[in-house]
């Protein structure tokens, strides 16, 4: 066997970024036990396919590395169901730095590097070493070789080039022009008939596609804050809807599940909206991470104690965010058995990904589930479906007593119906609405309001504070002339932005989200430009819109649920958005199959 020298050298951040695949083999690395890791994926490849997966992985490396890397990657494929290339994890820490710290020839490319590093920051990402930002399988890249190559390309590209990304795989730099996007991303594009859940398992294991979720593979994740605003609006308006704004929010109990990447926003939003909430979470790492970050107030694993405390908070009208450490089905069954009054109910387990760790069935521990989903996938599927039937039965009982339950864009209704749960009306429609259809659509999207977001590339909290102030000033000015229909929206958004710093929502980059319409976005952006020119803001601000925006997403079980002309299963809108934004000045754009609701169930675009 040829002797391959392993590098022992330490290397500066800038040099490591510019280096791409190192000339000397880095020393082997093991996954860090202190971090959360992706569950072992289903063993779906046959012998020949495994050889192909290995060949695909080795194509990133010079042939003299292959003798060492081939058995190592084969071992990773067997142990984890994927080849992550742990050995190639960088020496540098991953987090959003000041834009000027990135070696670059294009400022825009440096901004994108910053956003990528934020998506992989261990304080931000769900399974950082498997390059998963959120949602269990929402990937930035498939492996660390892709990370290294992309950072290198971004560091050397000019404003007359465009980097083309195929599901984490950098196809290369192509000549373009300064007004063209710097990066064009597609994730999970499939021939339509090959877009079932197992197709993702197989083609992802082969190394030829990835699930980009919504803001993971588009590099636009801004931590759970990204969804706090939308969740606050949803919870607040759901509360107003059930009693026409008559009762106080603090006398309302909101019960839901999930303290993961996105779902972790729920208790925070509950507090901001001013209600009492209980959020169930089975994974202690996720629950305590949210407690440490101040996103929930208390973690309790004893149901009696939990429900006792929560009902007291409702009685005394003191908003508080309780986390239940355990299975949400046990929580719902307990509440139903004891006839506890629940006002608002929902669920944000990752049911878009039900068979590989998105939903933990009742009756099994976290560890037992993680083991069973890989070793006995068919039995695990039965357990999930049985659990969903119990889950729905308890919800139905409480809904019968007046609880308002809504689907929270995680395919809960869809997967429950597939599991044979009592979730359908006689005419085949779902018993419960999607939050978009009932709340966000009529109140926000119909008026052009959507998730406008920005990131301060200086990474300086002072700049973020300044942008908050500017945005509030601009909105207050616009509100004076706003039509009556959007006055409530404007007031909610002004309140949101004024409270934003106090609510301490920054995890990772110095970012902000604010629902705004076209007028608000244009005026805020122009005011930021002016402030940068005047030195009031110290460095460029990265502006973005996410998929959840007006016309960004074709998703028949969420954004476009029950569209009145019956077009919910068409996907022209998202594709047109992606193409249109590319020639209307976006710096990077992204088109995904399968954000949020699941592989094969949605097409969406992001643009920044
Ligand atoms: N409504 C929206 O705008 C919106 C936005 C983003 C994500 N989503 C969807 O919401 C879901 C959650 O997203 P995420 O990023 O938080 O995913 P995530 O995987 O990071 O978090 C889900 C959490 O649910 C927990 N969980 C799973 N089964 C459970 C059970 N039976 N009992 C208790 N806890 C359980 C998991 O341990 C995990 O921490 C996804 O399906 C996502 O697509 C909706």
């Amino acid at each position: 066997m040829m002797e391959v020298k392993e590098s022992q050298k330490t290397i500066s951040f800038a040099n490591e970024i510019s280096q791409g695949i190192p000339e000397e083999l880095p020393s082997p690395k093991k996954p860090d036990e202190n971090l959360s890791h992706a569950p072992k994926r289903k063993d779906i490849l046959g012998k020949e396919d495994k050889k192909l997966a290995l060949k695909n992985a080795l194509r990133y490396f010079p042939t003299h590395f292959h003798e060492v890397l081939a058995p190592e990657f084969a071992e990773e494929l067997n142990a984890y169901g994927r080849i992550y290339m742990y050995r190639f994890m960088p020496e540098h820490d991953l987090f959003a730095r000041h834009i000027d710290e990135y070696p670059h020839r294009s400022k825009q490319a440096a901004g994108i590097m910053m956003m990528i590093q934020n998506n992989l920051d261990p304080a931000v990402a769900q399974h950082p070493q498997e390059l998963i930002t959120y949602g269990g399988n929402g990937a930035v890249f498939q492996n660390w070789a892709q990370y290294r190559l992309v950072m290198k390309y971004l560091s050397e590209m000019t404003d007359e080039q465009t980097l083309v990304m195929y599901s984490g795989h950098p196809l290369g730099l192509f000549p373009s022009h300064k007004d063209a996007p710097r990066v064009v991303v597609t994730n999970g594009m499939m021939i339509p008939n090959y877009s079932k859940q197992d197709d993702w398992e197989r083609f992802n294991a082969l190394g030829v596609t990835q699930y980009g979720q919504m803001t993971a593979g588009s590099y636009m994740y801004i931590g759970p804050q990204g969804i706090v605003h939308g969740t606050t609006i949803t919870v607040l308006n759901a509360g107003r809807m059930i009693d026409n704004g008559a009762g106080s929010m603090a006398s309302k109990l909101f019960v839901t599940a999930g303290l993961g990447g996105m779902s972790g926003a729920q208790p925070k939003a509950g507090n901001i909206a001013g209600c009492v909430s209980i959020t169930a979470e089975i994974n202690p790492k996720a629950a305590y991470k949210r407690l440490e970050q101040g996103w929930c107030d208390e973690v309790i694993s004893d149901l009696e104690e939990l429900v006792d405390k929560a009902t007291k908070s409702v009685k005394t009208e003191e908003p508080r965010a309780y986390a239940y450490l355990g299975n949400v089905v046990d929580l719902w069954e307990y509440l139903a058995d004891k006839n506890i009054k629940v006002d608002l109910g929902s669920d944000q387990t990752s049911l878009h990904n039900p068979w590989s760790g998105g939903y933990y069935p009742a009756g099994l521990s976290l560890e037992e589930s993680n083991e069973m989903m890989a070793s006995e996938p068919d039995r695990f599927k039965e357990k999930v479906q049985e659990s969903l039937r119990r889950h729905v039965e308890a919800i139905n009982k409480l809904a019968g007593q007046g609880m308002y339950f809504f689907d929270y864009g995680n395919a809960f209704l869809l997967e429950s119906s597939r599991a044979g749960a009592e979730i359908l009306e006689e005419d085949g429609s779902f018993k419960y609405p999607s939050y978009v259809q009932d709340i966000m659509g009529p109140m926000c999207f119909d008026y052009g309001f959507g998730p406008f977001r920005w990131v301060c590339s200086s990474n300086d909290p002072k700049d973020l504070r300044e942008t908050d102030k500017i945005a509030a000033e601009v909105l207050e000015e616009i509100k004076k002339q706003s039509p009556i229909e959007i006055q409530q929206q404007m007031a909610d958004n002004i309140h949101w932005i004024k409270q934003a710093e106090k609510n301490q929502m920054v995890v990772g980059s110095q970012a902000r989200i604010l629902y705004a319409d076209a007028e608000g976005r244009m005026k805020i952006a122009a005011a930021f430009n002016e402030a940068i020119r005047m030195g009031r803001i110290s460095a460029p601000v990265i502006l973005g819109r996410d998929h959840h925006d007006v016309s960004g997403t074709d998703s028949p079980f969420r954004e476009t649920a029950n569209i009145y002309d019956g077009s919910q299963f068409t996907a022209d809108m998202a594709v047109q958005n992606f193409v249109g934004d590319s020639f209307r000045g976006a710096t990077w754009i992204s088109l995904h199959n399968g954000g949020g609701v699941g592989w094969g169930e949605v097409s969406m675009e992001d643009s920044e």
Side-chain angles (χ1 to χ4, degrees):
M1 185 170 134
M2 192 179 125
E3 182 74 10
V4 181
K5 249 176 53 198
E6 280 178 6
S7 164
Q8 305 297 331
K9 280 184 263 167
T10 50
I11 184 165
S12 76
F13 171 68
N15 285 346
E16 199 180 21
I17 291 289
S18 312
Q19 175 191 54
I21 303 295
E23 276 173 21
E24 288 181 7
L25 208 52
S27 349
K29 291 193 186 78
K30 289 253 168 276
D32 179 344
E33 284 179 7
N34 297 317
L35 295 172
S36 175
H37 291 283
K40 181 181 177 195
R41 306 295 187 192
K42 191 160 148 184
D43 186 13
I44 199 164
L45 300 183
K47 208 167 151 215
E48 286 309 306
D49 274 350
K50 282 189 176 162
K51 281 194 202 153
L52 185 55
L54 211 54
K55 211 169 142 196
N56 287 342
L58 291 172
R59 65 185 154 174
Y60 294 107
F61 304 97
T63 45
H64 65 279
F65 282 0
H66 289 195
E67 266 190 88
V68 175
L69 294 182
E72 187 172 307
F73 290 170
E75 175 59 34
E76 282 193 20
L77 189 57
N78 282 330
Y80 311 111
R82 298 291 186 271
I83 301 171
Y84 299 114
M85 311 182 180
Y86 290 117
R87 180 194 284 263
F88 289 92
M89 289 188 291
E91 294 301 317
H92 57 258
D93 291 333
L94 287 132
F95 62 92
R97 295 165 161 79
H98 189 293
I99 191 168
D100 291 339
E101 286 184 47
Y102 295 94
H104 65 270
R105 294 165 74 197
S106 155
K107 198 92 172 173
Q108 295 181 339
I112 299 170
M113 285 193 257
M114 171 191 183
M115 301 290 284
I116 288 176
Q117 286 210 320
N118 188 59
N119 272 21
L120 293 169
D121 178 344
V124 172
Q126 186 184 19
H127 308 308
Q129 295 189 327
E130 289 77 39
L131 304 108
I132 300 293
T133 305
Y134 70 98
N137 56 359
V140 189
F141 301 107
Q142 299 176 58
N143 56 55
W144 288 102
Q146 293 176 344
Y147 167 80
R148 286 180 176 260
L149 287 169
V150 167
M151 294 302 270
K152 173 183 158 64
Y153 292 147
L154 288 168
S155 73
E156 63 194 23
M157 75 185 293
T158 69
D159 280 340
E160 289 182 342
Q161 288 178 306
T162 293
L163 173 63
V164 173
M165 297 295 305
Y166 278 17
S167 284
H169 172 79
L171 192 70
L173 290 171
F174 290 81
S176 64
H177 56 86
K178 73 175 178 34
D179 295 322
R182 293 286 68 78
V183 182
V184 174
V185 182
T186 53
N187 278 308
M189 291 294 112
M190 301 300 291
I191 301 300
N193 278 349
Y194 302 86
S195 196
K196 300 274 184 299
Q197 185 68 24
D198 268 355
D199 293 322
W200 169 73
E201 293 278 2
R202 193 169 117 72
F203 292 109
N204 187 226
L206 271 182
V208 293
T209 195
Q210 75 176 7
Y211 190 65
Q213 252 290 356
M214 290 193 138
T215 48
S218 63
Y219 325 141
M220 193 57 189
Y221 189 65
I222 55 169
Q225 176 191 183
I227 194 186
V228 174
H229 190 27
T231 312
T232 305
I233 296 175
T234 306
V235 176
L236 198 61
N237 287 309
R240 284 175 183 151
M241 202 169 70
I242 58 173
D243 60 5
N244 286 325
S248 82
M249 279 304 285
S251 63
K252 293 187 176 76
L253 179 62
F254 170 45
V255 175
T256 184
L259 288 174
M262 289 282 150
S263 48
Q266 295 174 108
K268 184 91 179 170
N271 273 352
I272 299 173
C275 65
V276 179
S277 64
I278 305 179
T279 311
E281 171 56 61
I282 196 158
N283 185 342
K285 280 198 173 121
Y288 286 105
K289 186 168 166 180
R290 293 296 170 225
L291 183 69
E292 275 164 32
Q293 291 169 344
W295 289 69
C296 62
D297 299 317
E298 202 171 336
V299 178
I300 304 177
S301 51
D302 180 80
L303 278 169
E304 199 180 330
E305 181 194 346
L306 169 82
V307 173
D308 200 41
K309 284 190 165 169
T311 44
K312 275 192 189 122
S313 298
V314 170
K315 212 176 263 166
T316 53
E317 300 203 3
E318 281 167 276
R320 193 160 174 81
Y322 295 96
Y324 168 55
L325 182 57
N327 198 299
V328 68
V329 178
D330 297 332
L331 172 65
W332 280 119
E333 287 180 344
Y334 185 89
L335 294 166
D337 278 354
K338 303 274 174 208
N339 289 315
I340 305 293
K341 182 172 180 287
V342 180
D343 301 277
L344 303 170
S346 196
D347 186 273
Q348 267 203 2
T349 55
S350 277
L351 270 166
H352 69 277
N353 174 31
W355 324 125
S356 36
Y359 180 89
Y360 286 88
L364 294 179
S365 69
L366 183 74
E367 295 71 25
E368 285 165 345
S369 281
N370 283 340
E371 166 70 36
M372 193 191 284
M373 70 184 76
S375 62
E376 297 176 84
D378 291 340
R379 194 159 155 237
F380 183 71
K381 186 170 174 180
E382 279 167 26
K383 291 274 178 204
V384 167
Q385 296 200 320
E386 185 189 309
S387 180
L388 279 171
R389 290 192 291 271
R390 279 171 57 185
H391 198 149
V392 169
E393 197 182 327
I395 285 169
N396 285 347
K397 184 172 175 209
L398 290 162
Q401 295 167 5
M403 173 177 77
Y404 172 71
F405 184 86
F406 56 96
D407 182 285
Y408 219 157
N410 63 338
F412 178 80
L413 295 177
L414 181 67
E415 284 306 334
S416 300
S417 67
R418 286 176 177 162
E422 299 278 317
I423 199 93
L424 299 177
E425 300 287 10
E426 273 180 8
D427 66 359
S429 62
F430 291 124
K431 271 188 201 284
Y432 303 106
S434 121
Y435 74 113
V436 176
Q437 196 185 347
D438 249 27
I439 305 167
M440 297 300 277
M443 307 188 89
C444 295
F445 304 150
D446 285 3
Y447 296 101
F449 284 84
F452 176 51
R453 9 153 96 222
W454 63 87
V455 179
C456 297
S457 74
S458 62
N459 213 28
D460 184 345
K462 278 206 286 278
D463 275 348
L464 186 61
R465 187 171 310 134
E466 216 44 50
T467 58
D468 285 346
K469 256 195 244 155
I470 294 170
E473 284 158 19
V474 171
L475 291 191
E476 275 174 335
E477 209 39 50
I478 298 177
K479 183 172 181 293
K480 291 181 191 158
Q481 309 292 331
S482 293
I484 183 81
E485 296 92 319
I486 62 168
Q487 280 290 331
Q488 177 74 62
Q489 288 253 22
M490 294 298 294
D492 284 350
N493 291 336
I494 291 167
H495 178 72
W496 163 266
I497 197 71
K498 286 188 165 171
Q499 298 294 311
E501 186 178 358
K502 196 180 116 230
N503 284 323
Q504 296 181 5
M505 287 173 299
V506 169
V507 178
S509 59
Q510 294 296 318
R512 187 64 74 220
I513 185 160
L514 172 69
Y515 268 55
D517 62 1
E519 184 186 6
R521 294 174 209 222
M522 285 189 290
K523 289 188 171 162
I524 291 170
F528 286 173
N529 276 347
E530 182 57 21
I532 294 166
R533 209 176 351 263
M534 304 299 290
R536 193 174 155 192
I537 299 174
S538 73
V541 176
I542 299 161
L543 301 176
R545 45 166 279 164
D546 78 19
H547 53 278
H548 210 19
D549 215 335
V550 184
S551 74
T553 303
D554 284 302
S555 177
F557 300 99
R558 197 161 101 180
E559 281 82 348
T560 45
N562 296 332
I563 281 280
Y564 302 132
D565 72 352
S567 64
Q568 66 265 37
F569 294 104
T570 65
D572 301 277
M573 187 174 72
V575 176
Q576 286 291 348
N577 253 266
F578 170 80
V579 175
D581 287 351
S582 75
F583 57 75
R584 291 189 197 105
T587 308
W588 79 101
I589 47 165
S590 190
L591 182 67
H592 296 189
N593 164 22
V597 189
W599 182 253
E601 307 286 3
V602 51
S603 286
M604 52 72 54
E605 72 84 36
D606 264 2
S607 52
E608 275 65 42

